[in-house]
Amino acid sequence: MNFCAACGQETALHAPTLGEFVHEFVGHYMALEGALWRTLGLLLLRPGRLTREYLAGRRRRYVLPLRLYLTASFVFFLVLKLMPAAVDQVVVFDGAARPEATMPDIHAAAASGPATASAASAVSTPASAPGKGTGVPAVAATRPIDCGAAGQQACNALERLVNHVGERYRKDPVGFAEHLQAQLIGTAPYAVFVLLPVFAGIVTLAYRKRRMTYGEHVVFSLHLHAFWFLVLLLVALLPEMVSGVLLWVVPVYGVWAMREVYRGGWGATLMRAAFVSIVYSGVLMLASMGLVAGLLAMA
């Protein structure tokens, strides 16, 4: 007997192989007549259509929203983990091309469009500082703050943090920069995942007069974030000339997808998209500063 009569498990067992894991992963997404390719085709080429298909109940033909988002984010951060140089390939525009971007910057650029990467100024590296492109805040290179010694006032929490980071930075600038970048790449996926419901809440607020549930806005947010990760993956891997063009596609796609899902005129859609972009950029900036401050405190 090849299978157990009670549970159906194979009776002839062998040690698992890498090929089996790859086959299981690919087969899971390639089932149902190529659900993965059908999903990617709609997601990349027909903004908002994949969300409309899901909300209309046509779901078995496509990869589910959460699974699609998790896969896209996993592949993106895995590439950055395995190819550290890819981080410097990502170009964030704030009036001019600037390759010194941390992981929070990258997500901010996708959320708010190339013209408004406001979080960049909070955590970017000065061009003259050692460890350029690694996301070391400028505060790390400042001189120590005079406090805490005999005859001086006690250091507050911020002053202790600045002195601690400065000391670590002066001892080993390159090592400290690499350590912080690794921490950012390791933490960013969780930070972005936590912020996704916030983004959906902002979209809900923008379309509060529509008779739609919060869950429907979450579906739109999952698909949009999955698109962002796929585009940013290309940005990280392709030459800078091409990556700059791709980043300009991001805000156009977002507005187009929003109009496709929520209908309405272009003018109203643009206003709502601007509202979502501005509010979410503010949230991202605060979250980025908090994330970097927390990582620096633990560095």
Side-chain angles (χ1 to χ4, degrees), residues 44 72 76 90 110 224-238 243 245-250 253:
L44 297 175
F76 173 69
V90 178
L224 189 59
H225 278 68
F227 172 81
W228 289 345
F229 279 121
L230 293 176
V231 170
L232 291 175
L233 178 62
L234 295 176
V235 168
L237 297 176
L238 294 176
S243 67
V245 176
L246 287 176
L247 277 179
W248 281 104
V249 170
V250 168
Y253 180 98

Side-chain angles (χ1 to χ4, degrees), residues 9-31:
Q9 179 177 296
E10 296 179 350
T11 55
L13 302 178
H14 61 275
T17 64
L18 177 62
E20 289 180 340
F21 287 114
V22 173
H23 181 270
E24 180 181 354
F25 177 80
V26 175
H28 184 71
Y29 289 106
M30 297 297 289

